[in-house]
Amino acid sequence: MSLYSRIYASTLVVVLAILTLIPSTNAEHLTQADFASSISKGLWLVEFYSPYCPHCKRFAPTWDKVAKEKAPLEGISGFTMAQVNCIAQGDLCNSNQVTGYPQVILFKEGEKIEEYSGDRTPDDLSSWIDKRVADYAQSSTSASSSTSSTTLNPNGEVLILTPETFDKGLSEGPIFVKFYAPWCGHCKKLAPVWTELATKAKGRVNIAEVNCEQYGALCKTQNVDGYPMLFFYHAGQKVDFRGQRKIESLEQFVLRAVAPGVQSITAEEVDSVLKKESVFFLVLYTYSTPQLYLDDIEEAAKPLLGTPVVYKSRNPDIFKKFDVDPADGPALIVIKDHETKPFSVLPLSAQTTVPILGAFFQHHRIPTLQQLTAENFPDVMKHPAKPLVVLAAFDMENMPKTQLGEEIEKLTSVAKRWQTSAVRLTDTRPTIFVWMDGDRWSKWLKSMYGIKREDMPTVVIVDHSRLLYYDADAGKARLQLERESIFAALESAYLGLLRPKHSENFVERTMRSMNDRMEYVGSSAWAHPFVTAGIVIGFLSGSLWLIRRLVNDDLPAGSYQSTRHHQWKPSHRLD
């Protein structure tokens, strides 16, 4: 063997020997040149080691296994594992006060926050990392959450609104307005509660009132048709509050309505939310998700006014909880009926615009099945998407509780099956399933849908936006509380194959039509006063001209007519 060959072979052996001393892992290797810039963003766990250190060699398999396991966290939570070879990067290790090998240090946004001192086993290291990643994800989302303004309602007092100050009051932020009349008994009873609400809502939301006896025109423009009426205005939305007028209910409504549109949630809070909320939305996003996506969701969630709640998280444990794969990208999911399986999933992308998000929120905000009451009537029957409502009526006074429970459970199953079915009809309106206390609402059910006590339990399909309903299928058989009957009727109704019945008789429909036309004319006149004045003046002028013309035409022959020079002369008309 030649001298050069021997030198080459010896060099190769030395290089291979050195390489065997360096742990082979999935973690990044940092140097003096890229260390500061790399760890400046996100959460970094860095092992400072020496290739000659026996402890480092024994720790290498553990580090390698955990690094492989946690590699997906970089995209989800911004967590990265890296290494620094202190033999090659001595100055870097000295600047980080490395005094022994291996030394594992956690950095957050470039700052050293903690040193790992647990057992050097895969399970212990993995558990320690999971806890720190969860804490980091929560702290990041909490820091980005918006906070409510403290300039609202600074004195905790009720604002008195007038036509001159009404628009300004609405423009300053969320405001809860009571429209009342001084002589109204219910208004007098609510007055001290309203004052107390203003005190409790200090610094969070404006509480105001309008005297409709004094400012009737203003109340009319706000569609006030009774006293008191409570309207909540926020983010361009107007919500008619129909809940209980107790201080607890009012305060809860206000606090929920002014809470951040999207709230952070921890893994520990998920179970309690699942038990408490029959429906809620959850944004599952990753560390690399563009902020624009979250901003759009925040904007689209404003009309919900906190009902239902929209949560967000990038915690890997929550991804697992709801069986969502982070590799599929960020997603908006809806959870219903206290189940962990998502009811529906909307992947987030640059094409997921605010209108698309808003439509998703509105389509899925209603629980699978709920009892229809005076409080939620506007949300259901006056839903902006104009849904078909499957309404079941039960005679709760005479029905055994066990039977009622069975019927409700059966209807819930029907609702789930319909709403999760793959059938996609041309009519994209949602379907809402509700049930009512037929004993309490017997008069209303009879007047609207012809339902009598002896008919219960029974079901009808309601199109409240048009005051129509269906109580029979295409074969004119009365609807039954069975899946086949309800499904067949729904499909036929959406396809326009069923003939509906009117909730009003002919006289009521005629009167309502006339009233709607008069209200339209009145609102148009109020909205366009100058145009209205011009039309009135034009009409009066035209009427006077026509009357004058008719009078002149009726003058007998030989009579006198006025000329432009105010002289009188005989008429030359022959008639």
Side-chain angles (χ1 to χ4, degrees), residues 388 390 418 429 459-463 466 468-479 484-502:
L388 287 185
V390 179
W418 172 264
R429 293 181 297 167
V459 61
V460 293
I461 298 174
V462 179
D463 186 350
R466 298 190 295 166
L468 303 175
Y469 71 97
Y470 309 88
D471 60 1
D473 59 21
K476 297 185 179 181
R478 190 171 184 85
L479 293 184
E484 293 77 10
S485 177
I486 294 174
F487 275 27
L490 278 172
E491 291 174 4
S492 298
Y494 275 121
L495 294 173
L497 303 178
L498 282 187
R499 185 174 181 178
K501 294 182 178 180
H502 290 276

Side-chain angles (χ1 to χ4, degrees), residues 146-398:
S146 59
T147 56
S148 59
S149 172
T150 57
T151 59
L152 299 172
N153 191 9
N155 302 318
E157 299 175 347
V158 177
L159 299 177
I160 308 299
L161 296 181
T162 68
E164 292 75 25
T165 62
F166 187 79
D167 290 338
K168 183 176 182 296
L170 267 58
S171 67
E172 292 178 347
I175 184 170
F176 203 8
V177 184
K178 175 186 70 174
F179 295 87
Y180 75 101
W183 46 262
C184 164
H186 295 295
C187 301
K188 294 177 182 179
K189 185 177 180 180
L190 179 62
V193 177
W194 203 247
T195 301
E196 183 181 358
L197 178 64
T199 302
K200 289 181 175 292
K202 180 179 179 180
R204 291 180 289 192
V205 59
N206 285 329
I207 306 297
E209 63 183 20
V210 174
N211 185 338
C212 292
E213 188 78 4
Q214 188 174 1
Y215 305 115
L218 173 59
C219 295
K220 187 175 182 180
T221 62
Q222 297 302 309
N223 299 316
V224 176
D225 55 10
Y227 306 120
M229 289 198 74
L230 310 179
F231 290 149
F232 187 85
Y233 301 85
H234 184 40
Q237 300 295 312
K238 173 185 174 183
V239 176
D240 182 1
F241 178 79
R242 298 277 184 172
Q244 294 183 342
R245 294 168 185 166
K246 297 180 179 179
I247 185 62
E248 296 81 11
S249 300
L250 292 168
E251 184 181 13
Q252 182 182 17
F253 169 77
V254 167
L255 294 181
R256 196 160 188 170
V258 300
V262 182
Q263 303 177 34
S264 300
I265 188 172
T266 65
E268 293 76 18
E269 295 170 335
V270 168
D271 288 337
S272 62
V273 170
L274 273 171
K275 292 179 181 178
K276 181 178 67 173
E277 305 288 353
S278 59
V279 55
F280 67 92
F281 295 95
L282 177 60
V283 184
L284 293 174
Y285 67 107
T286 65
Y287 186 77
S288 57
T289 299
Q291 182 61 38
L292 178 62
Y293 293 6
L294 302 180
D295 293 340
D296 285 348
I297 292 174
E298 189 87 31
E299 182 66 25
K302 286 181 179 179
L304 297 177
L305 295 180
T307 305
V309 184
V310 182
Y311 295 101
K312 66 178 179 180
S313 177
R314 68 182 193 201
N315 189 320
D317 292 336
I318 297 182
F319 272 88
K320 294 178 183 177
K321 180 83 172 181
F322 296 102
D323 195 25
V324 176
D325 188 354
D328 295 335
L332 172 62
I333 67 175
V334 56
I335 303 299
K336 292 190 177 185
D337 307 313
H338 316 287
E339 297 181 354
T340 55
K341 182 180 179 181
F343 185 85
S344 184
V345 178
L346 177 65
L348 300 178
S349 67
Q351 286 71 44
T352 315
T353 59
V354 172
I356 292 176
L357 292 166
F360 185 83
F361 282 137
Q362 292 297 333
H363 195 87
H364 293 292
R365 67 180 300 183
I366 302 296
T368 304
L369 177 68
Q370 61 182 321
Q371 182 179 3
L372 187 63
T373 64
E375 287 76 17
N376 62 15
F377 186 92
D379 287 337
V380 175
M381 293 301 198
K382 298 182 180 180
H383 193 287
K386 300 180 179 180
L388 287 185
V389 179
V390 179
L391 188 155
F394 301 114
D395 185 0
M396 297 180 64
E397 184 179 11
N398 300 312

